């Protein structure tokens, strides 16, 4: 490691920024790590400490609370303290080395609370044997999150709490089965064209990366496209397409796809991904709510912007941030996207609505409201024969609903809701 002190300062900056903004971990890393020249080893170390601290913030805050009531969570000292606790208690690093370099790093920014940090960390460390991290309360999460979980059975809640501190496997989707066989023997097979692997592997080193034989996509996120019947040559609108997982599945199955996304940065990423995968895109970078209603599609796919709470295993910052997701904004936008999609769909066309969330308001409730107002739409229920590998996640109404770490037999998947609707002719009613 070139400079442990510099790395610690970067860790603190990232932890503070994520806590106080809406930026996600990956974006924050990209921005912060660009500013400073660090080795791959340093970068991995920084990532490991940040992600471990965020995933275990619940336990870390409880430890801290037992030793002091006078920590200001807005002050930079808080972030030095929580990252040190994370290294000592969860990553099992040498206590005195962690304390010394934490104090050294703090000194470079500030000196005011040096004695406090030093004394507090030494006191906590002296009492380490009396703290059993596994016995700490795992349910001390923000109220908004608890309210969503309240609707679930206790057993489900426990799995979700546990899933937050785990590292999820990464799912790779292959263009076809033959391509998958190149690397198959090393990883867990999640479907006939996807594999799960540990995230510690450098993805660029996996066979087929440069040739564009596969892309990263959670298993649950692959299901919406699997529910579209007869994909070949269909005209499909992917309304919220970036970074592209579903567009690539569609193109891979021979559909004619129009991909839309409002975000300039995410469209850039979509284009980069498509270049590596050697797909030609038909892309519109605009607000899907403003698409002209002069062309009608066989299928419209809404992979809607949402709270993303189904992805808490990968995005634990959702629970770590000062403020929770802006539910009002998402609920409004999701419903507007549904209302727009209906106008862009042919009669007998398929409307797929998906969110990576297990919040009923973002899923089933949106569809109930839409069906109530749009009598010419019906549920086209998911049936057993098309739900191989995920039958148990199909609800009695024929929707798909998963929760974080469902299908643990394939390494666990994200929480996701999917509805498939069909548009009937108004006159036929
Ligand atoms: C869940 S992500 C889509 C993931 C993508 N379908 C995939 O499989 O890779 C939601 C996307 O919706 C986009 N979005 C948000 N509001 C939008 C709008 N009004 N019109 C079009 N896209 C929008 C966001 O930029 C984001 O890329």
């Amino acid at each position: 490691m070139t400079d442990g002190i510099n790395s610690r300062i970067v860790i603190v900056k990232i932890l503070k920024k994520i806590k106080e903004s809406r930026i996600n971990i990956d974006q924050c890393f990209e921005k912060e790590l660009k500013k400073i020249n660090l080795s791959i080893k340093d970068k991995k170390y920084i990532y490991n400490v940040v992600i471990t601290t965020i995933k275990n913030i619940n336990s870390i805050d409880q430890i801290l609370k037992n030793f002091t009531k006078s920590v200001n969570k807005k002050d930079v000292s808080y972030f030095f303290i929580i990252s040190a606790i994370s290294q000592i208690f969860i990553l099992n690093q040498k206590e005195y080395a962690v304390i010394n370099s934490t104090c050294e790093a703090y000194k470079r920014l500030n000196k005011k609370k040096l004695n406090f940090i030093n004394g507090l960390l030494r006191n906590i460390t002296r009492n380490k044997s009396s703290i059993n991290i596994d016995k700490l309360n795992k349910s001390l999460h923000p109220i908004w999150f608890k309210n969503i979980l309240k609707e679930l059975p206790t057993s489900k809640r426990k799995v979700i709490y546990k899933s937050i501190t785990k590292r999820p496997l990464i799912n790779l989707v292959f263009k076809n089965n033959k391509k998958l066989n190149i690397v198959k023997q090393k990883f867990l097979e999640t479907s006939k064209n996807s594999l799960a692997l540990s995230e510690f592997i450098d993805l660029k080193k996996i066979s087929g990366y440069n040739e564009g034989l596969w892309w990263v996509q959670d298993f649950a996120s692959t299901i919406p496209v699997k529910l579209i019947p007869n994909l070949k040559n269909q005209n499909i609108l992917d309304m919220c397409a970036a970074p592209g997982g579903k567009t690539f599945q569609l193109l891979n199955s021979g559909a004619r796809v129009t991909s839309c996304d409002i975000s300039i940065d995410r469209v850039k990423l979509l284009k980069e991904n498509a270049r590596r995968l050697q797909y030609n895109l038909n892309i519109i970078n605009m607000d899907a709510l403003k698409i002209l209603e002069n062309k009608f599609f066989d299928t419209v796919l809404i992979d809607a912007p949402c709270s993303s709470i189904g992805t808490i295993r990968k995005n634990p910052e959702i629970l770590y941030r000062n403020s929770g997701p802006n539910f009002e904004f998402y609920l409004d936008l999701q419903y507007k996207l549904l209302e727009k999609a209906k106008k862009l769909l042919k009669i007998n066309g398929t409307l797929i609505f998906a969110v990576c969330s297990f919040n009923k308001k973002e899923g089933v409730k949106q569809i109930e409201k839409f069906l109530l107002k749009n009598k010419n739409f019906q549920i086209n229920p998911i049936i057993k024969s098309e739900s191989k590998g995920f039958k148990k996640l199909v609800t009695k109404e024929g929707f798909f609903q998963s929760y974080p770490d469902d299908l643990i037999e394939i390494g666990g998947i994200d929480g996701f809701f999917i509805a498939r609707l069909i548009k009937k002719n108004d006159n036929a009613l």
Side-chain angles (χ1 to χ4, degrees):
M1 211 170 289
T2 48
D3 182 350
I5 306 296
N6 267 343
S7 300
R8 278 194 161 74
I9 293 175
V10 177
I11 290 169
V12 164
K13 281 189 179 161
I14 294 177
L15 283 171
K16 192 165 186 311
K17 192 166 252 175
I18 295 173
K19 180 119 181 126
E20 292 165 358
S21 68
R22 290 213 179 264
I23 194 166
N24 72 32
I25 292 186
D26 293 337
Q27 291 167 324
C28 196
F29 264 88
E30 222 187 286
K31 276 197 177 154
E32 284 304 316
L33 296 186
K34 250 189 216 160
K35 295 182 196 163
I36 178 168
N37 196 8
L38 290 163
S39 67
I40 304 248
K41 200 172 166 193
D42 283 335
K43 287 182 184 171
K44 278 192 179 163
Y45 164 74
I46 292 170
Y47 186 80
N48 198 19
V49 176
V50 168
I51 196 91
T52 306
T53 307
I54 290 180
K55 275 184 170 284
N56 292 281
I57 192 64
N58 198 339
S59 304
I60 293 169
D61 273 343
Q62 284 177 71
I63 295 175
L64 189 55
K65 218 171 150 194
N66 281 336
F67 290 87
T68 178
K69 301 274 178 276
S70 57
V71 168
N72 175 0
K73 290 191 178 179
K74 289 185 183 152
D75 191 80
V76 72
S77 57
Y78 169 69
F79 301 92
F80 278 100
I81 295 166
I82 58 172
S83 56
I85 295 179
S86 157
Q87 289 167 82
I88 293 168
F89 282 85
I90 297 147
L91 294 169
N92 291 319
Q93 292 170 3
K94 286 202 181 97
E95 297 146 22
Y96 288 97
V98 171
I99 297 175
N100 288 342
S101 46
T102 299
C103 291
E104 274 309 306
Y106 178 75
K107 252 200 287 189
R108 284 205 197 164
L109 297 186
N110 205 322
K111 290 201 171 115
K112 247 170 53 195
K113 297 200 174 150
L114 184 62
N115 289 341
F116 171 70
I117 296 174
N118 189 21
L120 177 67
L121 290 177
R122 286 183 197 280
N123 190 15
I124 294 176
T125 306
R126 263 195 304 277
N127 290 283
K128 192 177 173 201
S129 58
S130 67
I131 300 165
N132 184 344
I133 202 131
D134 296 327
K135 291 223 166 113
L136 294 173
N137 189 343
K138 298 281 180 285
S139 66
L140 293 178
H141 290 294
I143 305 271
W144 64 261
F145 186 63
K146 285 192 177 185
N147 285 340
I148 293 172
L149 290 187
K150 249 188 217 161
E151 300 189 23
L152 307 179
T154 314
S155 57
K156 195 56 93 206
R157 263 182 260 166
K158 277 191 181 159
V159 175
I160 294 176
Y161 286 141
K162 222 169 146 190
S163 80
I164 297 165
T165 53
K166 275 171 56 183
R167 283 211 175 196
L169 302 184
I170 288 183
N171 194 59
L172 300 188
V173 177
F174 286 73
K175 284 184 173 170
N176 67 43
N177 193 258
K178 271 189 226 129
K179 311 236 151 115
L180 171 138
N181 282 329
I182 304 173
V183 287
K184 185 176 162 184
Q185 59 281 12
K186 292 187 195 152
F187 308 108
L188 180 65
E189 206 168 334
T190 52
S191 78
K192 67 178 189 334
N193 71 332
S194 60
L195 297 174
L197 54 125
S198 145
E199 71 178 298
F200 305 111
I201 297 169
D202 181 358
L203 293 180
K204 290 187 181 155
K205 290 195 179 138
I206 297 173
S207 174
Y209 176 81
N210 289 325
E211 300 88 327
L213 302 187
W214 51 260
W215 62 89
V216 174
Q217 189 178 13
D218 188 78
F219 179 84
S221 158
T222 65
I223 294 174
V225 169
K226 291 179 180 164
L227 299 175
I228 305 173
N230 311 319
L231 273 172
K232 201 166 166 63
N233 293 327
Q234 260 201 58
N235 277 315
I236 300 188
L237 172 64
D238 186 357
M239 265 183 137
C240 303
K246 293 173 194 67
T247 282
F248 304 141
Q249 280 179 282
L250 292 167
L251 290 170
N252 200 37
S253 304
R256 298 194 189 112
V257 190
T258 303
S259 309
C260 173
D261 202 284
I262 198 170
S263 155
I264 294 174
D265 287 347
R266 287 173 71 96
V267 163
K268 227 191 244 170
L269 196 59
L270 169 60
K271 286 183 180 165
E272 274 167 27
N273 290 338
R275 211 168 300 128
R276 180 179 69 83
L277 294 166
Q278 296 166 27
Y279 285 126
N280 287 324
L281 292 176
N282 172 19
I283 179 143
I284 41 177
N285 188 186
M286 68 181 288
D287 181 349
L289 300 176
K290 296 188 176 146
I291 296 177
L292 288 180
E293 288 154 24
N294 58 3
K295 185 182 170 193
F296 303 96
F297 295 87
D298 301 306
T299 292
V300 177
L301 167 62
I302 314 174
D303 189 17
C306 68
S307 67
S308 304
I309 58 166
T311 67
I312 38 168
R313 302 172 315 149
K314 293 182 194 115
N315 300 103
E317 69 274 19
I318 297 171
L319 298 177
Y320 165 81
R321 283 189 191 118
N322 280 341
S323 46
N326 188 344
F327 285 104
E328 244 171 71
F329 168 80
Y330 288 124
L331 292 175
D332 180 58
L333 179 54
Q334 289 155 6
Y335 195 76
K336 283 184 175 142
L337 287 166
L338 274 164
E339 284 289 330
K340 180 71 184 180
K342 85 176 183 202
K343 297 177 189 153
L344 295 165
L345 199 56
K346 287 183 187 164
I347 305 290
N348 289 323
T350 298
L351 172 55
I352 304 272
F353 174 80
V355 277
C356 49
S357 175
F358 51 85
N359 176 11
K360 286 200 170 120
K361 285 187 185 156
E362 294 183 274
V364 67
K365 298 276 179 215
Q366 292 282 40
I367 296 301
E368 281 169 5
K369 178 173 158 193
F370 179 77
L371 290 175
L372 213 60
K373 292 197 179 165
N374 294 283
K375 299 286 183 202
N376 59 333
F377 276 79
Q378 294 170 0
I379 301 171
N380 180 1
I382 304 166
I383 53 171
K384 282 195 177 147
S385 60
E386 58 183 341
S387 49
K388 196 166 168 269
F390 56 88
K391 275 192 188 73
K392 58 185 171 191
L393 304 177
V394 176
T395 68
K396 62 178 189 322
E397 300 90 345
F399 300 134
F400 172 93
Q401 180 70 75
S402 62
Y403 298 88
D405 257 1
D406 269 341
L407 301 189
I408 201 69
E409 59 279 18
I410 58 163
I413 66 169
D414 284 342
F416 229 85
F417 170 83
I418 309 165
R420 181 175 61 189
L421 308 180
I422 184 162
K423 179 176 177 173
K424 293 287 176 194
N425 193 339
D426 294 327
N427 302 329
L429 292 167

